[in-house]
Amino acid sequence: MAPKLLLTFVIYRLISTVGLTLDPTDLLRLEVDGHLSVDPSDVKTASVDFGMMNRAEPLAVLHPSSAEDVARLVGAAYGSAHGLSVSARGHGHSINGQAQTSSGVVIEMSASKGVRQWGLPRVSEQSRYVDAWGGELWIDVLKTTLEHGLAPKSWTDYLYLSVGGTLSNAGISGQAFNHGPQISNVYELDVVTGKGELLTCSEEQNSELFHAVLGGLGQFGIITRARIGLEPAPQRVRWIRVLYSNFSTFTKDQEYLISLHGQPPNQKFDYVEGFVIVDEGLINNWRSSFFSPRNPVKISSFGTNGGVLYCLEVTKNYHESTADTIDQDVEALLKRLDFIPSSVFTTDLPYVDFLDRVHKAELKLRSKGLWDVPHPWLNLFVPRSRIADFDEGVFKGILGNKTSGPILIYPMNKNKWDDRTSVVTPEEDVFYLVALLRSALDSGDEAQSLEYLSNQNRQILRFCDDAGIKVKQYLPHYTTQEDWVDHFGDDKWTLFSKRKMDFDPRRILATGQRIFKPMAASSW
């Protein structure tokens, strides 16, 4: 079907389904080199996300072949009498419908059905950066950069996420204490604003847009290219886990390790994370399969306080040429920590295998039909000064002795984050990520049901509010503007709103976030 004929169909579908009165002539001028689709399978894919708790069918799906395609679509929507909403979708890993729209077009930024419409990431070995398409998956960025002996500095735990998707939030993992989040390692962006302008931005050029888009939840523009800093890639990783039964000792050691960020490489770990174990019996789950089923580890064997264990997870990167010193470096760091002596678990593996560790677990879950299920995840930034209260109230209180997925906890240094970006963090020098990455299962166990886990999330948020723990949601989800204002705080909300007026004045981008009312909509 010719693009103009197809777009006419889309427009009149909008008129009939939403009741808007549009003048289609502006949009009829749209011509793209990619593919504008109303195929039911494309629409169905774009209507759901990883969270599987929201469904919204777009009127059409654009598979762009270039940044110009994205700019043409957004520009046409912006220039129409009422406007269509436009949402960019990467790998569809949102939790609460943030990349969905029922009154416009979804742009599938990542390769669909294995069809790549754009070029591979381009690496500059001399300047140590990679230029990547906004819809490129981080696993493919890694594969390309490794061909040059280089790799990005900061990661997410799961690599099958899009570049634009993680940069629109922050992008965090165990390297963030040292290198900051992914948004702190970006040199330059190409962005399509809500006006349909394709602009290059950086610290020096269009800097207000640059800082707005980083952590901006898709509100100010669609990232079509990112220039990401690189470093020499290590060859291997020493991966270590140790256990604690005392929370204050656990957090003391975590905070000590992240305080070493300014030390020489051989005097600090390269990755610091941790997780909470509240389940009875075996520690193993999809995130902690590190422990061998042939050598089961039981909570009861470590004399826990309140039935809770805490696992510190660290790594040391190295090259085969320095393998003779890795044991010495690791031992020097571990001897300063106060973990349970009998609880040291160590493995050694290639760098790529460590970074891609969650994908291997994904494949196992997919084979058992346990991946495509609802994911009522809750990610919180908790101030360091209140993390002990959070432990007492949530880990030892609300959660009981059952959970339905991993619970991550690790600290980060605020000085590695740029306050000029749109992301929001607690006002303390050190804050913790607490990520309850739970899956809702139809197993007959009420504690694994979507309703139970969703209610528990609300209970956790109420506890924090009642206790005066000023948490900030990471990958935030709110349903009222009052809650969004509270999330950002008055000063940052004023800046956020101004940036919205500057770069997306008709509020047509990323309406699934429910931050601003679309100009053409009378309700959420």
Side-chain angles (χ1 to χ4, degrees):
M1 186 181 295
K4 288 187 178 181
L5 180 59
L6 179 59
L7 192 56
T8 303
F9 176 81
V10 171
I11 295 166
Y12 284 103
R13 183 179 171 208
L14 175 65
I15 295 172
S16 63
T17 57
V18 188
L20 296 179
T21 304
L22 295 180
D23 178 0
T25 55
D26 289 338
L27 292 179
L28 284 175
R29 287 196 289 270
L30 174 68
E31 292 188 13
V32 295
D33 296 323
H35 176 52
L36 188 64
S37 171
V38 291
D39 185 278
S41 65
D42 284 338
V43 171
K44 181 180 179 181
T45 297
S47 69
V48 295
D49 59 18
F50 180 71
M52 292 189 69
M53 295 180 291
N54 294 271
R55 183 179 179 85
E57 286 196 359
L59 302 170
V61 177
L62 174 66
H63 301 277
S65 65
S66 64
E68 287 73 21
D69 276 356
V70 176
R72 290 184 191 110
L73 174 66
V74 176
Y78 173 72
S80 66
H82 294 269
L84 299 167
S85 61
V86 179
S87 291
R89 183 180 190 272
H91 197 52
H93 212 73
S94 297
I95 301 300
N96 291 289
Q98 289 94 332
Q100 297 173 359
T101 178
S102 59
S103 60
V105 180
V106 167
I107 303 177
E108 282 282 5
M109 295 294 291
S110 297
S112 177
K113 300 174 183 176
V115 178
R116 173 182 287 272
Q117 306 255 17
W118 54 87
L120 289 168
R122 298 182 301 278
V123 174
S124 170
E125 292 185 14
Q126 182 176 1
S127 300
R128 288 190 179 176
Y129 67 72
V130 57
D131 282 326
W133 168 251
E136 197 72 68
L137 300 187
W138 284 99
I139 183 65
D140 295 318
V141 174
L142 175 62
K143 290 176 180 177
T144 299
T145 59
L146 285 177
E147 293 175 2
H148 302 266
L150 300 169
K153 304 171 186 178
S154 192
W155 292 98
T156 56
D157 287 344
Y158 181 58
L159 301 187
Y160 287 74
L161 304 173
S162 69
V163 168
T166 66
L167 297 184
S168 294
N169 289 282
I172 54 176
S173 185
Q175 304 88 3
F177 83 94
N178 193 30
H179 295 294
Q182 290 180 317
I183 58 173
S184 295
N185 294 275
V186 177
Y187 298 156
E188 187 177 273
L189 298 170
D190 284 345
V191 174
V192 174
T193 71
K195 301 175 184 179
E197 303 166 308
L198 176 57
L199 301 175
T200 297
C201 55
S202 65
E203 291 271 4
E204 294 79 26
Q205 180 181 6
N206 295 313
S207 61
E208 189 68 20
L209 177 62
F210 180 72
H211 294 123
V213 167
L214 293 172
L217 306 175
Q219 293 302 298
F220 312 110
I222 297 171
I223 297 171
T224 58
R225 178 186 63 89
R227 178 165 291 178
I228 302 154
L230 304 175
E231 65 179 358
Q235 294 173 321
R236 298 194 64 81
V237 171
R238 178 69 53 83
W239 185 8
I240 305 140
R241 286 178 173 175
V242 295
L243 299 177
Y244 296 76
S245 58
N246 182 279
F247 185 72
S248 63
T249 305
F250 169 68
T251 54
K252 173 183 67 71
D253 281 357
Q254 280 196 318
E255 290 171 20
Y256 167 71
L257 291 176
I258 72 164
S259 75
L260 302 176
H261 62 88
Q263 296 299 313
N266 68 325
Q267 296 179 28
K268 62 186 174 185
F269 285 116
D270 296 291
Y271 162 103
V272 177
E273 282 199 15
F275 55 91
V276 182
I277 305 158
V278 301
D279 282 315
E280 293 290 343
L282 295 180
I283 291 174
N284 302 282
N285 60 41
W286 70 273
R287 273 297 286 255
S288 58
S289 55
F290 185 96
F291 303 109
S292 170
R294 294 186 297 274
N295 182 26
V297 178
K298 292 183 179 293
I299 291 179
S300 59
S301 64
F302 290 102
T304 63
N305 176 17
V308 180
L309 275 177
Y310 309 95
C311 180
L312 171 65
E313 181 176 62
V314 293
T315 70
K316 197 81 188 73
N317 301 336
Y318 68 98
H319 294 266
E320 299 204 2
S321 61
T322 60
D324 56 338
T325 64
I326 186 68
D327 292 338
Q328 178 182 338
D329 293 343
V330 168
E331 185 60 31
L333 287 164
L334 289 180
K335 69 167 50 176
R336 304 175 197 172
L337 308 180
D338 294 322
F339 51 85
I340 299 170
S342 60
S343 71
V344 182
F345 301 86
T346 302
T347 191
D348 205 274
L349 70 170
Y351 180 62
V352 176
D353 289 356
F354 172 73
L355 291 180
D356 200 27
R357 62 200 179 281
V358 176
H359 181 56
K360 292 184 172 73
E362 174 195 349
L363 297 177
K364 292 179 182 177
L365 286 180
R366 284 189 182 279
S367 69
K368 298 176 182 178
L370 298 176
W371 184 259
D372 294 320
V373 298
H375 296 93
W377 286 9
L378 180 63
N379 295 270
L380 301 173
F381 289 149
V382 182
R384 170 192 182 184
S385 64
R386 303 302 303 275
I387 194 65
D389 298 321
F390 191 94
D391 169 60
E392 287 292 332
V394 178
F395 301 150
K396 295 189 179 83
I398 293 172
L399 294 181
N401 65 352
K402 284 189 177 181
T403 186
S404 187
I407 305 169
L408 306 187
I409 174 172
Y410 57 91
M412 289 174 281
N413 295 306
K414 188 175 177 68
N415 63 6
K416 298 293 183 177
W417 296 63
D418 190 334
D419 283 340
R420 295 173 296 177
T421 67
S422 294
V423 74
V424 178
T425 61
E427 293 298 325
E428 293 193 7
D429 291 342
V430 172
F431 60 90
Y432 280 78
L433 170 74
V434 175
L436 294 95
L437 309 181
R438 286 136 17 123
S439 302
L441 304 176
D442 187 16
S443 63
D445 182 349
E446 180 191 10
Q448 293 186 324
S449 69
L450 177 59
E451 181 180 7
Y452 182 91
L453 295 173
S454 298
N455 286 337
Q456 199 173 68
N457 286 345
R458 287 189 283 270
Q459 187 180 357
I460 291 168
L461 292 172
R462 280 197 303 271
F463 163 76
C464 292
D465 191 48
D466 292 343
I469 303 175
K470 295 182 179 180
V471 300
K472 295 295 183 182
Q473 287 191 32
Y474 177 58
L475 312 179
H477 171 63
Y478 301 100
T479 56
T480 69
Q481 194 166 92
E482 181 183 2
D483 287 336
W484 280 109
V485 173
D486 185 62
H487 170 75
F488 284 103
D490 291 341
D491 291 344
K492 196 134 192 175
W493 173 254
T494 299
L495 177 61
F496 198 85
S497 300
K498 179 184 181 301
R499 286 170 166 176
K500 187 68 171 178
M501 286 302 299
D502 289 343
F503 302 120
D504 182 24
R506 295 205 173 191
R507 299 178 289 200
I508 62 175
L509 296 179
T511 56
Q513 294 278 8
R514 294 191 167 197
I515 303 176
F516 298 97
K517 279 186 180 179
M519 291 286 283
S522 59
S523 62
W524 283 106

